[in-house]
Amino acid sequence: MNIQNTFRKTAKIAVVLIYIVIIAGAVVRMTGSGMGCPDWPKCFGYYIPPTDISQLQFHPDHEYKKGVIIMQNEQLWVAIEDFKSTEAINPIHWEVYTKHDYAQFNPTHTWVEYINRLSGVVAGIPILIFTIVSFWLWRKNKWLTILSIATVLGMGFQAWLGKTVVDSNLAPYKISIHMLMALVIVAFILYLIYASKSSFKDQVYDVRFKNLLIFAIILSLMQIILGIQVRQYIDEQVKAIGYVKSEWLDNPTLKFYVHRSFSIAVFLLNGWLWYRNRTLKLNYKKTNVLMLCILAEILTGILMYYFDFPFLTQPLHLVIATIMIGVQFYILLESRAKNRVEENRAINT
């Protein structure tokens, strides 16, 4: 069995699962399910979340485990120890849940959030596997092991960020950091996928293409950050006026207009990269995927603004943006790696 191929295949599985986590997170935001589980890492103190409000009500003569949460008098109460209840609530066994005051139960929201968390756990499995495998590649390429360990640590940090998001009752800036950390993890894994290749394709190195691609990535990252801030504004609108989609962008902030205008620059710059790649036959085939992502991104943006946020356009807009910048980063790796290969060939000859 080829250890390097195993490492690379597992890393590919990991990056697909990370994107599934991003999709799940986008669905959580779209459905307003972020507080479906008020605690972390369990859900109302259970590994398998409740499906009915009756499971969160006090029951006499019932075995309660430490950390289990009930809802009483519009508050969350958490068991401070294992005990068997009597006919009435005994305050010595309970304390008010103080990390936030969100005390609602919606089974749909709970299970949407639970599936989001579960997808994160599943995504961590191949990351752990390729990190273990990377130790067999230490002599061949130490960076594979170092960055694999960094990816595991990044996943741990991301899980902790998820906890802080819940504890803060979905503070917008923490959601933004949570999203950006996901992009960092994607970048790590994409680098590992490329660095573990056994051979390179025949891309032609072009310094202007590479430099403008770097600028395009910076521009895309700025767009994503601006988009996150626009999304924060929409979240505030939802809290203020509810799910009246036609009114969400009645009085948008300046950031919205900058975000919308920047999309033209993103399209033109990446369109130029696509054109240069095609006319000079640089053989960066993923530029086709990149342009499809940008066109889809613009289309979903138009649908949201002019047609009052049709179903699934919000999560699609976010997910496509993360795929777009991932493709850009991978093309950059191809351009840099090809340059290195050509330098090595020149030295050898």
Side-chain angles (χ1 to χ4, degrees):
M1 181 177 64
N2 188 310
I3 295 295
Q4 187 164 317
N5 286 343
T6 300
F7 175 90
R8 192 163 188 267
K9 288 178 181 178
T10 311
K12 286 182 176 181
I13 293 171
V15 80
V16 170
L17 291 176
I18 289 295
Y19 273 113
I20 290 175
V21 175
I22 292 172
I23 292 170
V27 172
V28 166
R29 293 198 73 180
M30 179 190 72
T31 57
S33 302
M35 292 303 293
C37 294
D39 50 334
W40 190 98
K42 295 182 180 181
C43 189
F44 290 99
Y46 298 98
Y47 287 110
I48 305 297
T51 57
D52 190 85
I53 188 65
S54 62
Q55 294 173 263
L56 301 178
Q57 295 171 341
F58 175 79
H59 297 285
D61 220 20
H62 183 79
E63 295 284 350
Y64 283 100
K65 297 292 184 181
K66 182 179 179 180
V68 166
I69 291 175
I70 63 171
M71 298 177 66
Q72 186 76 10
N73 299 327
E74 298 183 349
Q75 279 187 317
L76 297 178
W77 295 78
V78 58
I80 60 177
E81 60 186 355
D82 296 349
F83 69 96
K84 185 174 183 179
S85 62
T86 55
E87 288 299 317
I89 293 181
N90 190 335
I92 67 170
H93 299 304
W94 302 92
E95 64 181 8
V96 175
Y97 193 76
T98 57
K99 292 183 178 179
H100 56 75
D101 58 359
Y102 186 90
Q104 298 180 28
F105 175 69
N106 180 312
T108 301
H109 290 177
T110 293
W111 277 86
V112 168
E113 169 61 13
Y114 176 71
I115 291 171
N116 175 44
R117 296 184 186 185
L118 193 61
S119 64
V121 173
V122 173
I125 295 173
I127 291 174
L128 186 60
I129 291 173
F130 74 60
T131 301
I132 295 171
V133 172
S134 72
F135 285 96
W136 276 267
L137 300 171
W138 173 260
R139 290 185 178 180
K140 190 172 184 179
N141 189 338
K142 292 179 174 60
W143 277 108
L144 293 180
T145 306
I146 293 169
L147 280 179
S148 294
I149 294 171
T151 305
V152 171
L153 295 175
M155 286 294 286
F157 180 64
Q158 181 74 328
W160 176 80
L161 283 174
K163 177 183 184 303
T164 65
V165 168
V166 174
D167 289 347
S168 68
N169 196 1
L170 310 183
Y173 77 94
K174 290 190 176 182
I175 294 175
S176 300
I177 296 172
H178 195 50
M179 178 66 223
L180 292 175
M181 187 61 203
L183 295 180
V184 172
I185 292 171
V186 167
F188 279 179
I189 300 176
L190 288 176
Y191 180 87
L192 292 171
I193 290 171
Y194 196 82
S196 59
K197 289 183 69 171
S198 56
S199 62
F200 295 101
K201 294 183 180 179
D202 296 325
Q203 285 96 2
V204 177
Y205 178 72
D206 180 68
V207 65
R208 183 173 295 180
F209 179 90
K210 185 190 74 173
N211 290 340
L212 283 174
L213 178 58
I214 292 171
F215 182 65
I217 291 173
I218 294 171
L219 193 62
S220 296
L221 186 59
M222 291 171 60
Q223 266 291 76
I224 288 174
I225 293 171
L226 282 168
I228 290 172
Q229 293 176 337
V230 171
R231 180 59 208 238
Q232 289 176 2
Y233 170 77
I234 293 174
D235 288 344
E236 292 167 0
Q237 290 289 87
V238 171
K239 290 180 180 179
I241 63 178
Y243 284 86
V244 186
K245 296 181 180 181
S246 60
E247 298 180 11
W248 286 352
L249 289 175
D250 276 356
N251 296 294
T253 62
L254 177 62
K255 291 175 182 177
F256 166 78
Y257 292 108
V258 174
H259 178 64
R260 187 175 66 176
S261 300
F262 260 35
S263 63
I264 300 173
V266 170
F267 174 76
L268 292 176
L269 180 55
N270 286 278
W272 186 90
L273 289 169
W274 176 86
Y275 177 77
R276 187 172 183 83
N277 174 67
R278 185 178 179 86
T279 54
L280 298 182
K281 294 182 171 52
L282 302 179
N283 203 31
Y284 294 101
K285 295 180 180 179
K286 292 181 181 61
T287 55
N288 294 326
V289 178
L290 176 59
M291 288 307 297
L292 287 174
C293 287
I294 292 171
L295 290 172
E297 189 75 347
I298 292 172
L299 176 61
T300 53
I302 290 171
L303 289 172
M304 284 190 293
Y305 183 67
Y306 291 103
F307 297 93
D308 298 333
F309 298 86
F311 183 66
L312 289 181
T313 50
Q314 286 175 283
L316 281 174
H317 193 69
L318 171 63
V319 173
I320 293 168
T322 60
I323 294 173
M324 177 190 74
I325 198 168
V327 173
Q328 286 177 321
F329 181 69
Y330 198 84
I331 295 171
L332 178 64
L333 292 174
E334 288 181 325
S335 69
R336 290 170 59 85
K338 184 61 183 177
N339 186 32
R340 187 173 65 247
V341 170
E342 290 186 347
E343 287 174 352
N344 290 338
R345 286 175 180 171
I347 291 171
N348 293 331
T349 55

